[in-house]
Amino acid sequence: MSPFEGLNMLQKSKLFNLLEVHKYKYKKNQEILPTLRHENIFGIILEGSADIISVDYEGNETIMEKLSKESLFNTYMNLINFEDYEIISKEDNTEVLIINYNILLRQDNSKHVYYNIFMNNLFNIINDNFRKMNEKVRILEKKTIRDRLLEFFEIEYKKTYRKIIELPFNLKDLADYIAVNRSAMFRELRNLKEERFITVKGKKITLLYKSNNFI
Amino acid sequence: MSPFEGLNMLQKSKLFNLLEVHKYKYKKNQEILPTLRHENIFGIILEGSADIISVDYEGNETIMEKLSKESLFNTYMNLINFEDYEIISKEDNTEVLIINYNILLRQDNSKHVYYNIFMNNLFNIINDNFRKMNEKVRILEKKTIRDRLLEFFEIEYKKTYRKIIELPFNLKDLADYIAVNRSAMFRELRNLKEERFITVKGKKITLLYKSNNFI
DNA sequence: TTATGAAAGTTGCAATTGCAACTTGTAAAT
DNA sequence: ATTTACAAGTTGCAATTGCAACTTTCATAA
């Protein structure tokens, strides 16, 4: 889902003009926007890629999100927590577009068709991110590893209604995603296998049980 | 933050007309919208209140969110998970407004000023909800109760930069919020008190330590 | 004033998890 | 064919947590 979907080159350039965007280029492993903290802005990756790195109260760093071409970041205007994140470019020639919210939300922007198309796209992308975040909360609210796994399976199952779930990442990353210890997760996966709840073959997990709400 | 902020009565009624909204009224403890699942819609509480109840893979029910007047629900178009939720009215005369996304996002809506005001409001509200969800994920990703509490304190601290945190709910609800066992949380709070990290007086928690990133 | 209910706070114990330190499997590079 | 690197998988043990069953405190209504 691209924020510029439905816009041709001319409209795109008019949009950038209207929104008084700024573009910045980075080499690999540079921090994006260290000087722009506390500003009321969000960004779009135009080229290259970057990682959002979360720094917790102890200073521990973890990769929160991997940004690729056309990913948005800082869309939730989290002025409060912006200090807790670092965004680091992962390639040379990483280019980002910065948009100011105050300019974005000016009333009279909406007389331009290209602006309205762009806003619809933003709306959809943010909604989609919100849905993903919501899925994650549902999983993390579970107290046991087993419950987190089963909730994850349930959510994935309902995306296709197929009993075979193809993981978008490896098992180690799954452990990170559901925020549990890797070896403890393997232990629990083994239990689920032995109890004939699932089978695991590489990145394919097959559910052998009835989902709660569906057959 | 009201979705109708900046709109007068006339504009509001024009908006409802433009968006072809539907209104529904409920008595206490009725399920809102059981028949409209799988539809591409979201809702706004106009009067009264309701609870969003999450049903997990085992059938366990927990209150996910409390909706009051002018709260939005289903904004993330979670067609996939809609079956996992029930929305139950909590008062007689609870009235909800239902808006269809396809109608909401029609291109030519934006020639109306009241529509643009409404969309800006939606944008802000959704962003705000996103920020809250993000805060919650940051907390739930922590493995220990102590780390969850300290992350929570850090987040709350940065909203005001005051060492005294006034909880918006009681300690029991805090345990629910950070998704840990209540008595285990009390045990950890006691440890933090004994180690002179915090003091607790009712709903006021005072931080006695230096925050990581700030003094 | 007393009763009532709910939140606050405590404790012992069993279950679950994190952690560390392994081995095994596998795919790609030399 | 052998090395290298990393994911997959295992295990024992200590630490943390959930759970249940309490007591205490406090506010509110009878």
Side-chain angles (χ1 to χ4, degrees):
Chain A
M1 214 186 311
S2 159
F4 307 118
E5 200 162 301
L7 295 178
N8 60 36
M9 291 296 277
L10 178 64
Q11 290 176 311
K12 218 166 131 176
S13 99
K14 279 184 181 173
L15 178 75
F16 290 179
N17 213 44
L18 177 72
L19 300 183
E20 301 170 25
V21 302
H22 290 84
K23 289 182 187 176
Y24 299 89
K25 279 196 180 176
Y26 298 91
K27 291 181 184 162
K28 191 173 175 176
N29 288 327
Q30 285 188 296
E31 184 173 359
I32 292 173
L33 289 188
T35 56
L36 287 182
R37 298 186 169 199
H38 304 285
E39 296 288 330
N40 196 4
I41 53 161
F42 75 102
I44 303 175
I45 307 285
L46 291 179
E47 287 299 334
S49 59
D51 288 348
I52 300 182
I53 295 174
S54 154
V55 185
D56 72 7
Y57 72 94
E58 269 188 315
N60 298 317
E61 296 191 351
T62 47
I63 296 176
M64 283 275 296
E65 204 179 328
K66 288 187 165 291
L67 303 173
S68 55
K69 192 177 171 179
E70 300 189 325
S71 297
L72 307 192
F73 58 92
N74 205 40
T75 50
Y76 29 96
M77 299 189 281
N78 59 338
L79 304 176
I80 293 153
N81 287 337
F82 204 76
E83 306 87 6
D84 302 332
Y85 297 103
E86 288 174 6
I87 303 173
I88 308 289
S89 61
K90 289 287 114 192
E91 295 174 42
D92 283 342
N93 291 319
T94 293
E95 188 176 12
V96 304
L97 189 80
I98 299 301
I99 297 174
N100 184 299
Y101 266 107
N102 299 323
I103 297 174
L104 179 75
L105 297 180
R106 276 188 312 216
Q107 277 308 328
D108 51 353
N109 288 341
S110 50
K111 61 189 172 202
H112 303 286
V113 173
Y114 53 84
Y115 171 83
N116 296 318
I117 293 174
F118 180 65
M119 286 303 281
N120 272 8
N121 291 341
L122 284 190
F123 201 81
N124 283 320
I125 293 170
I126 291 173
N127 269 335
D128 197 54
N129 290 340
F130 193 37
R131 201 206 68 238
K132 283 178 197 157
M133 190 82 74
N134 200 48
E135 285 174 10
K136 187 151 192 179
V137 168
R138 280 179 77 88
I139 291 166
L140 297 185
E141 279 179 341
K142 300 289 172 208
K143 294 197 200 317
T144 65
I145 293 176
R146 169 174 292 228
D147 281 351
R148 288 191 189 187
L149 285 170
L150 293 177
E151 187 69 36
F152 174 77
F153 297 155
E154 186 80 5
I155 287 170
E156 293 305 310
Y157 170 66
K158 288 200 176 151
K159 290 180 180 172
T160 60
Y161 292 101
R162 284 180 197 166
K163 295 284 193 178
I164 299 173
I165 293 168
E166 187 102 30
L167 295 181
F169 34 51
N170 60 34
L171 292 173
K172 181 177 158 289
D173 290 340
L174 176 59
D176 284 342
Y177 179 69
I178 69 173
V180 299
N181 180 276
R182 186 187 60 85
S183 67
M185 189 191 79
F186 273 108
R187 184 162 41 203
E188 200 55 46
L189 278 176
R190 179 158 34 96
N191 293 341
L192 286 168
K193 280 186 227 169
E194 283 170 3
E195 294 172 40
R196 315 269 163 170
F197 275 103
I198 59 168
T199 61
V200 182
K201 266 181 203 162
K203 291 180 182 176
K204 283 186 186 173
I205 295 174
T206 307
L207 310 184
L208 306 177
Y209 59 94
K210 273 193 188 179
S211 166
N212 184 52
N213 300 311
F214 293 88
I215 305 168
Chain B
M1 214 187 312
S2 160
F4 307 118
E5 200 162 303
L7 296 178
N8 60 36
M9 291 296 277
L10 178 64
Q11 290 176 310
K12 218 166 131 177
S13 98
K14 279 184 181 174
L15 178 74
F16 289 179
N17 212 44
L18 177 73
L19 300 182
E20 301 169 25
V21 303
H22 290 85
K23 290 182 187 175
Y24 298 89
K25 280 196 178 174
Y26 298 92
K27 293 181 183 162
K28 191 172 175 177
N29 289 325
Q30 284 188 297
E31 184 173 358
I32 292 173
L33 289 187
T35 57
L36 287 182
R37 299 185 168 201
H38 303 284
E39 296 287 330
N40 196 4
I41 53 161
F42 76 102
I44 303 174
I45 307 285
L46 291 179
E47 288 299 333
S49 59
D51 288 347
I52 299 182
I53 294 174
S54 154
V55 184
D56 71 8
Y57 73 93
E58 270 189 314
N60 298 318
E61 297 191 351
T62 47
I63 297 176
M64 283 275 295
E65 204 180 328
K66 288 185 166 291
L67 303 173
S68 54
K69 192 176 169 178
E70 301 189 323
S71 297
L72 307 193
F73 58 92
N74 204 40
T75 50
Y76 31 95
M77 299 188 281
N78 58 339
L79 303 175
I80 293 153
N81 287 337
F82 204 76
E83 307 85 7
D84 303 332
Y85 298 103
E86 287 173 7
I87 304 173
I88 308 288
S89 60
K90 288 287 114 190
E91 294 173 44
D92 283 343
N93 291 320
T94 293
E95 189 176 11
V96 304
L97 189 80
I98 300 301
I99 297 174
N100 184 299
Y101 267 107
N102 299 323
I103 299 174
L104 179 75
L105 297 179
R106 275 188 314 214
Q107 278 307 328
D108 51 353
N109 288 341
S110 50
K111 62 188 172 201
H112 303 286
V113 173
Y114 53 84
Y115 171 81
N116 296 318
I117 293 174
F118 180 66
M119 286 303 282
N120 271 8
N121 291 341
L122 283 190
F123 200 81
N124 284 320
I125 292 170
I126 290 173
N127 269 335
D128 197 54
N129 290 341
F130 194 36
R131 202 206 68 239
K132 283 178 197 157
M133 191 80 75
N134 200 49
E135 285 175 8
K136 187 150 192 180
V137 169
R138 280 180 75 89
I139 291 166
L140 296 186
E141 278 179 339
K142 300 289 171 208
K143 294 197 198 319
T144 65
I145 293 176
R146 168 174 293 229
D147 281 351
R148 288 191 188 184
L149 285 170
L150 293 177
E151 188 69 37
F152 174 77
F153 296 156
E154 186 81 4
I155 289 170
E156 293 305 311
Y157 170 67
K158 289 199 174 150
K159 289 180 180 171
T160 60
Y161 292 100
R162 285 181 196 166
K163 295 284 192 177
I164 299 174
I165 293 169
E166 187 103 30
L167 295 181
F169 34 51
N170 61 33
L171 291 174
K172 180 176 160 292
D173 291 340
L174 175 59
D176 284 341
Y177 179 69
I178 68 173
V180 298
N181 180 276
R182 187 186 60 86
S183 67
M185 188 191 79
F186 274 108
R187 182 161 43 203
E188 201 54 46
L189 278 176
R190 178 157 36 93
N191 293 341
L192 287 169
K193 281 186 224 168
E194 282 169 4
E195 294 172 40
R196 315 269 162 170
F197 275 101
I198 59 168
T199 60
V200 182
K201 267 181 201 163
K203 291 179 183 176
K204 282 187 186 172
I205 294 175
T206 308
L207 311 183
L208 306 177
Y209 58 94
K210 273 194 187 180
S211 166
N212 183 52
N213 300 311
F214 294 89
I215 305 168

